[in-house]
Amino acid sequence: VATPEHLSGHAIVVGYGRVGKVTAALLTEHNVPFIAVDYDAAGVTRDRRGRHRVYFGDAADPMFLNACGLQEASAVVITIQAPEAIDRVVDRVRSLRPDVKIITRARDSEHARHLYAIGATDAVPETVEASLQLSEASLVALGVPMGPVIASIHQKRDDFRAELQQASREAGRGDSHAIRP
């Protein structure tokens, strides 16, 4: 098993499927260093043959996380879709690095609330994002200028995020890790 290169201030991208590859491409485009990891051995082998820098391992395993430079990482970005696996990674990462940013995919708003409650910095519900994208495309198609559409979509996303974070705090977790720049 190849050991990831040593980085500092990097992101650890957990999951290198469709969403992970898009995330990695955008990190690359913006010159943000990252390590991509996945638990699908066949997928990692295929991607490495295609010259992708992705490593095989369990992102809920403390030894693997340390090999990925968790102690020096700026963020962990979880792109996998299995809620139970996401929960395990968030729990483990938060226990090892209380201060690291954890940005994670969530199935829906309920799952996002749960992820905020267990320590995610930001949880992105697929259902909310799909509705925002559909709304944006509809507004533009109906002739609303792009600038105001983008502004309203960003505002709606911020409103949803604040609502989910607040619900998490009200559910009994007063020290939310939800941090917005």
Side-chain angles (χ1 to χ4, degrees):
V1 174
T3 303
E5 66 272 18
H6 180 76
L7 295 173
S8 182
H10 62 289
I12 300 171
V13 178
V14 178
Y16 200 67
R18 178 180 43 85
V19 175
K21 283 181 175 88
V22 170
T23 301
L26 286 165
L27 291 171
T28 299
E29 183 178 321
H30 291 276
N31 298 312
V32 176
F34 68 92
I35 292 174
V37 302
D38 202 293
Y39 195 62
D40 173 19
V44 168
T45 299
R46 184 176 51 254
D47 288 329
R48 287 186 71 83
R49 282 187 188 135
R51 301 200 173 164
H52 294 260
R53 288 185 4 235
V54 58
Y55 300 92
F56 172 77
D58 179 0
D61 176 348
M63 288 177 52
F64 182 69
L65 286 168
N66 286 329
C68 292
L70 178 62
Q71 295 308 314
E72 295 83 24
S74 293
V76 176
V77 182
I78 305 169
T79 69
I80 57 180
Q81 66 184 83
E84 308 79 28
I86 294 169
D87 291 0
R88 282 194 306 276
V89 174
V90 170
D91 278 336
R92 184 54 53 122
V93 168
R94 187 54 70 214
S95 73
L96 296 169
R97 278 286 309 276
D99 61 319
V100 75
K101 293 177 180 126
I102 302 174
I103 303 94
T104 183
R105 180 178 181 175
R107 171 164 287 165
D108 54 25
S109 294
E110 182 178 330
H111 187 221
R113 280 187 203 92
H114 166 74
L115 291 166
Y116 282 121
I118 66 171
T121 308
D122 209 351
V124 180
E126 294 173 5
T127 52
V128 170
E129 283 305 310
S131 67
L132 291 173
Q133 289 176 9
L134 182 62
S135 298
E136 179 182 329
S138 299
L139 290 165
V140 170
L142 292 166
V144 178
M146 182 62 80
V149 169
I150 290 172
S152 65
I153 295 297
H154 281 281
Q155 183 59 54
K156 184 58 80 176
R157 181 179 291 115
D158 288 345
D159 293 347
F160 278 129
R161 182 181 295 114
E163 178 185 323
L164 295 172
Q165 291 169 343
Q166 182 61 34
S168 167
R169 286 189 289 274
E170 290 171 359
R173 187 170 184 277
D175 62 330
S176 175
H177 287 275
I179 303 166
R180 293 299 301 160

